[in-house]
Amino acid sequence: MKTIQFREAICEAMSEEMRRDESVYLMGEEVAEYNGAYKASKGMLDEFGAKRVIDTPIAELGFAGIAIGSTMTGNRPIVEYMTFNFSLVGIDQIISNAAKIRQMSGGQFKCPIVFRGPTASAGQLGATHSQAFESWFANTPGLKVVVPSNPYDAKGLLKAAIRDDDPVIFMESEQMYGDKGEVPEGEYIIPLGVADIKREGTDVTIVSFGKIIKEAYKAADELEKEGISCEIIDLRTVRPMDRKAIVESVKKTNRLVVLEEAWPFGNVATEITYLIQSEAFDYLDAPVVRINTADTPAPYSPVLLEEWLPNHEDVIKAVKKVLYK
């Protein structure tokens, strides 16, 4: 094993797949000459050249369309958005074309493409640069949605996403690029659609994904001091969702808390709550509790932003609520 940063795990995954398959290329704003806005493509221009590591204009609709069209001629593009907030400019291409090419062509064309970049908040970036769109994309048949929380998962999942024959939305975080973690020296791949139990427990199940799962870890450490055992499931892939892993855990613990950095209306936590009431209702000893951001645009004020975001104290309160403590 070696210890590397999250950004290095992303770079290694892309580079290894580009060495393996000449049809893979990277396209996006500042990915080449600048080595990536977050240095996640450092050194790739030097290794692969300007035909495979392509700087684009600030025109997300245009380069998303170019990349999607190139899949129909045998390519496997990776499109980097500086933030998924900017993907809204090109979302028509993602939703109306990438997600539907296979069906609308009667299976004549597939669309092996990865759209990657940071999602959700990252400090004082203002309302328009602090939005989480996992549930938006996960609502669309034809798209797969991946949200890793650490370097090991990021590398293994990104390699799987690049090899997948369907479009994959791969969502990272500006606040995770510097995170360090252990990654194997050799090649490995993590299959999409498989959740991971990060911490085993017996009293309550906590389901989360992405950078916000760190708050669940903090809460579990504090609760352990009080004799409360938390099982933490990292979804890793939002769609397809590992429903079996969630259901089996709830059958064991009989309680569920869902932690998600997203607005509360119609999000991933809502889907998980429906899943449990439909498939594990008789196992519940308490109503499901979900923890989300406030139902407002993200504030710029640091004091308001701290209040807006879920934190480990919210998780502790939720766990105690489902335990009637």
Side-chain angles (χ1 to χ4, degrees):
M1 303 287 280
K2 59 185 176 182
T3 300
I4 61 174
Q5 291 184 334
F6 192 104
R7 60 169 56 89
E8 293 174 303
I10 296 294
C11 186
E12 284 191 4
M14 294 191 294
S15 297
E16 288 175 13
E17 292 306 302
M18 287 176 70
R19 294 182 197 117
R20 173 182 173 273
D21 185 347
E22 291 188 356
S23 69
V24 179
Y25 70 89
L26 174 64
M27 168 187 281
E29 295 156 359
E30 299 186 349
V31 299
E33 296 289 346
Y34 192 66
N35 286 312
Y38 312 105
K39 300 298 179 278
S41 53
K42 186 176 181 179
M44 292 180 65
L45 175 63
D46 293 338
E47 178 174 355
F48 300 104
K51 287 188 176 181
R52 296 184 68 196
V53 182
I54 306 167
D55 275 332
T56 66
I58 303 174
E60 287 81 5
L61 180 66
F63 65 76
I66 290 170
I68 292 166
S70 77
T71 68
M72 302 172 77
T73 59
N75 292 291
R76 308 183 77 90
I78 306 165
V79 174
E80 177 179 314
Y81 290 120
M82 199 175 293
T83 158
F84 264 97
N85 297 283
F86 302 159
S87 75
L88 299 188
V89 182
I91 200 168
D92 179 52
Q93 289 289 347
I94 300 172
I95 302 296
S96 297
N97 290 330
K100 296 175 175 62
I101 283 174
R102 183 188 288 272
Q103 184 201 47
M104 294 185 71
S105 70
Q108 294 179 81
F109 294 103
K110 55 190 179 182
C111 189
I113 186 170
V114 175
F115 299 95
R116 52 158 294 269
T119 183
S121 67
Q124 290 178 263
L125 298 180
T128 58
H129 288 194
S130 303
Q131 304 170 104
F133 295 116
E134 292 90 330
S135 61
W136 284 34
F137 290 112
N139 184 251
T140 305
L143 297 179
K144 297 178 180 178
V145 181
V146 180
V147 194
S149 66
N150 60 78
Y152 174 84
D153 289 349
K155 182 176 179 180
L157 289 165
L158 183 52
K159 287 172 69 70
I162 294 168
R163 296 186 190 188
D164 200 284
D165 284 338
D166 290 311
V168 179
I169 308 294
F170 195 92
M171 310 181 94
E172 304 152 14
S173 169
E174 289 104 319
Q175 293 181 323
M176 288 199 298
Y177 286 120
D179 288 359
K180 293 182 179 180
E182 288 191 338
V183 171
E185 293 281 357
E187 181 176 85
Y188 69 99
I189 292 178
I190 299 173
L192 305 186
V194 180
D196 189 30
I197 298 176
K198 298 298 188 185
R199 180 177 182 140
E200 294 196 359
T202 56
D203 295 327
V204 59
T205 298
I206 303 173
V207 177
S208 190
F209 57 90
K211 79 173 192 293
I212 201 68
I213 200 172
K214 295 176 184 179
E215 300 301 318
Y217 298 148
K218 293 178 189 175
D221 288 341
E222 291 296 318
L223 289 163
E224 187 177 36
K225 298 173 185 176
E226 300 181 34
I228 298 172
S229 173
C230 300
E231 180 146 297
I232 300 177
I233 296 179
D234 186 343
L235 283 183
R236 303 198 294 196
T237 305
V238 171
R239 181 166 185 159
M241 185 182 292
D242 191 347
R243 297 169 180 267
K244 181 179 179 182
I246 302 170
V247 170
E248 290 303 313
S249 179
V250 171
K251 285 181 178 180
K252 178 177 72 171
T253 67
N254 310 116
R255 294 170 175 86
L256 174 63
V257 171
V258 186
L259 171 63
E260 177 189 8
E261 183 183 341
W263 294 310
F265 191 92
N267 56 28
V268 176
T270 305
E271 178 66 19
I272 294 171
T273 301
Y274 176 79
L275 165 69
I276 294 305
Q277 73 84 25
S278 63
E279 297 190 21
F281 181 81
D282 290 339
Y283 291 88
L284 287 174
D285 287 342
V288 176
V289 173
R290 60 178 187 166
I291 308 167
N292 298 121
T293 66
D295 197 14
T296 70
Y300 177 75
S301 158
V303 176
L304 293 177
L305 184 62
E306 184 178 356
E307 185 67 23
W308 182 83
L309 272 171
N311 58 45
H312 73 283
E313 293 178 353
D314 297 325
V315 179
I316 291 172
K317 289 177 185 176
V319 168
K320 289 185 175 181
K321 182 177 181 179
V322 299
L323 288 167
Y324 302 109
K325 292 191 175 183

